[in-house]
Each structure stands twice: as structure tokens, then as C-alpha cells.
Amino acid sequence: MDHLIYFILLALLAEILGTVGGFGSSLFFVPIASYFLDFHSVLGVTAMFHVLSNLTKIGFFNKGVDKKLILNLGIPAVLFVILGAYLSQFINTKWLEIALSVFLIGLSLFFLIFKNIIIKPNTFNSVTGGITSGFIAGLIGTGGSIRGMTLAAFNLRMEVFIATSAVIDLAIDSSRTVVYALNGFVRKDDLYLLPILLVVSIIGTFIGKKLLDKISEEQFKKVVLILILVTGIITAIKALLF
């Protein structure tokens, strides 16, 4: 019972941070869940939790959706998350996590130092970000950091960032949930967590939105980049030590 309480509280923290960071809770939820569940169960539960989480975010931030970005970034992400989810049963993800952590640390520091650099949200950059984030999401359970980095580089408004990311994530997580279920990662013993995680996603998103109401657009981008930097460091430590 104590383990379940800790799990719920940490999942709530992950949802709040995911909302404030703008790119979803799986970035924080995956390392948390890994302390309570085996790797394949983590993938299945994370995908289901993120479906609920993104539905909640779309409800809270529905006015900021950018349809063009959804098509250019979202469609490649959905296609490649299916490939990544399928390959997840064959690939040792340790070295991939190390490479991802180096990428996240390097790019987040770059954009924190060179604040005025903005990457245009053109078709090529959007498609590239979608392919990378989708494939990584399928392989290791979280690609939100890549998509968050892409959207942060585009310098989008806060509401557009969060809403667009949530819609894309919903498509990604719906796709990989199906593949994970076929792989046997979505287990009956874990389904009791769904109503709990639904409540967590609603409360966490509500708290996160209230916190976002108190900060500026510039502060939001800085928060996003700092959270990505911290995530890169944590991912590196986890990959090297565990």
C-alpha cells in the first residue's frame, strides 16, 4: 500500500512538471515508474497514462492548437513511434539513452546560452523533429524531450506549445499503446492503475496550469530548457549507473 501511495504522489509530481514543461509527463514518469515496475510494464503503463494526460491537457489548453505543426510534426511522429515500439522488444536501450542524454544536455545548454537563436518552424524542421521524437518515444517510452526541444527552438507561445504537443502526443501514445498491447506489455495486473492515473492527470494538469498563469512567455521557455537539461542529466546517470 505504501508503494502505491508513493507511486501516486510521484506520478502527480511528474504530471505537474510535465504540464509546466509543456511536453508531457512521460519524460518524468518513466524513471519514476521504473522503480516500481519492470521495463516492459513501464512502457505499457506510461503509454496509457499519457493518453489520459494528453486528453486532459487538450481540455485545458484547447485554444492553442497549431494545425499545421500537428500535421508536419505529428504524422511523422505517429508513423515512427510504431516502428520504435515494435523494435523495442529487440533493442538494448542503454546506449540509446546515453546518446539521448548527451543530445539533450548539449542542445538545452546551447539554447539557454544563446537565447536569441530561433529555428524556423518550417516543414523540414517539423518533420525531422517528429520522426526523431516518435522513434525515441517508441523505443524507450519517452520522446517528449525531443519534441519539447523542437517546439522550444521554434519559440512558440505557451498555449500553442502545450496544446500542440498534447495533440501530437495523444496520437503517438494511442499508436504505441496498441503496439505495446500486441507485444504483451499492457498487462491485466496493471489496469487497476488507470482510474488512479486519470485523477492524477486531471489534478496535475490543473495545478500545472495555475503555475503557468504566473509566469511570462520568456520564463516559460527557460523553464522548458532547464527541465530538458535536468532530464538529460538524470537520463545519463540512470543509464550509466543502473
Side-chain angles (χ1 to χ4, degrees):
M1 186 64 182
D2 288 343
H3 283 193
L4 180 60
I5 293 173
Y6 292 142
F7 178 83
I8 293 171
L9 291 175
L10 289 171
L12 178 61
L13 177 62
E15 183 63 28
I16 294 170
L17 290 174
T19 301
V20 172
F23 43 80
S25 58
S26 70
L27 192 62
F28 309 100
F29 183 73
V30 167
I32 289 170
S34 65
Y35 287 102
F36 300 91
L37 303 165
D38 65 85
F39 178 70
H40 288 156
S41 291
V42 168
L43 293 181
V45 170
T46 299
M48 292 187 292
F49 178 34
H50 229 205
V51 168
L52 300 173
S53 173
N54 288 313
L55 286 171
T56 304
K57 285 184 180 62
I58 292 168
F60 278 103
F61 297 94
N62 60 82
K63 294 181 180 179
V65 175
D66 186 317
K67 295 178 181 178
K68 184 179 179 181
L69 259 183
I70 288 173
L71 292 176
N72 290 340
L73 206 157
I75 292 176
V78 171
L79 294 175
F80 277 81
V81 77
I82 295 172
L83 176 61
Y86 174 73
L87 292 177
S88 65
Q89 59 187 318
F90 307 113
I91 295 176
N92 185 327
T93 60
K94 180 177 180 179
W95 293 110
L96 182 63
E97 289 180 343
I98 293 173
L100 175 64
S101 67
V102 172
F103 176 81
L104 294 177
I105 292 170
L107 270 189
S108 58
L109 284 174
F110 177 81
F111 284 110
L112 281 168
I113 294 169
F114 302 100
K115 299 177 182 179
N116 295 325
I117 293 179
I118 298 172
I119 296 176
K120 293 182 179 180
N122 57 36
T123 302
F124 176 80
N125 292 333
S126 300
V127 170
T128 301
I131 289 172
T132 307
S133 64
F135 189 63
I136 295 298
L139 277 179
I140 64 175
T142 174
S145 54
I146 301 290
R147 188 176 55 261
M149 182 64 71
T150 303
L151 296 176
F154 290 166
N155 204 34
L156 302 173
R157 289 187 299 107
M158 189 188 307
E159 292 83 1
V160 176
F161 187 119
I162 296 173
T164 302
S165 182
V167 172
I168 294 169
D169 238 0
L170 178 61
I172 290 173
D173 289 311
S174 299
S175 302
R176 66 176 168 139
T177 299
V178 173
V179 179
Y180 289 157
L182 293 174
N183 287 349
F185 299 169
V186 178
R187 294 162 183 168
K188 292 181 179 179
D189 293 344
D190 298 326
L191 293 180
Y192 76 95
L193 291 171
L194 282 181
I196 295 173
L197 293 175
L198 174 60
V199 174
V200 166
S201 67
I202 294 171
I203 295 174
T205 301
F206 176 78
I207 294 172
K209 189 175 187 302
K210 290 296 182 183
L211 292 173
L212 287 173
D213 289 340
K214 300 180 183 297
I215 66 175
S216 67
E217 296 286 344
E218 186 177 343
Q219 289 172 325
F220 171 69
K221 183 178 179 180
K222 187 174 182 179
V223 167
V224 170
L225 292 172
I226 290 173
L227 287 175
I228 291 173
L229 173 62
V230 171
T231 301
I233 294 171
I234 293 173
T235 301
I237 294 172
K238 178 175 175 291
L240 291 170
L241 299 182
F242 297 98

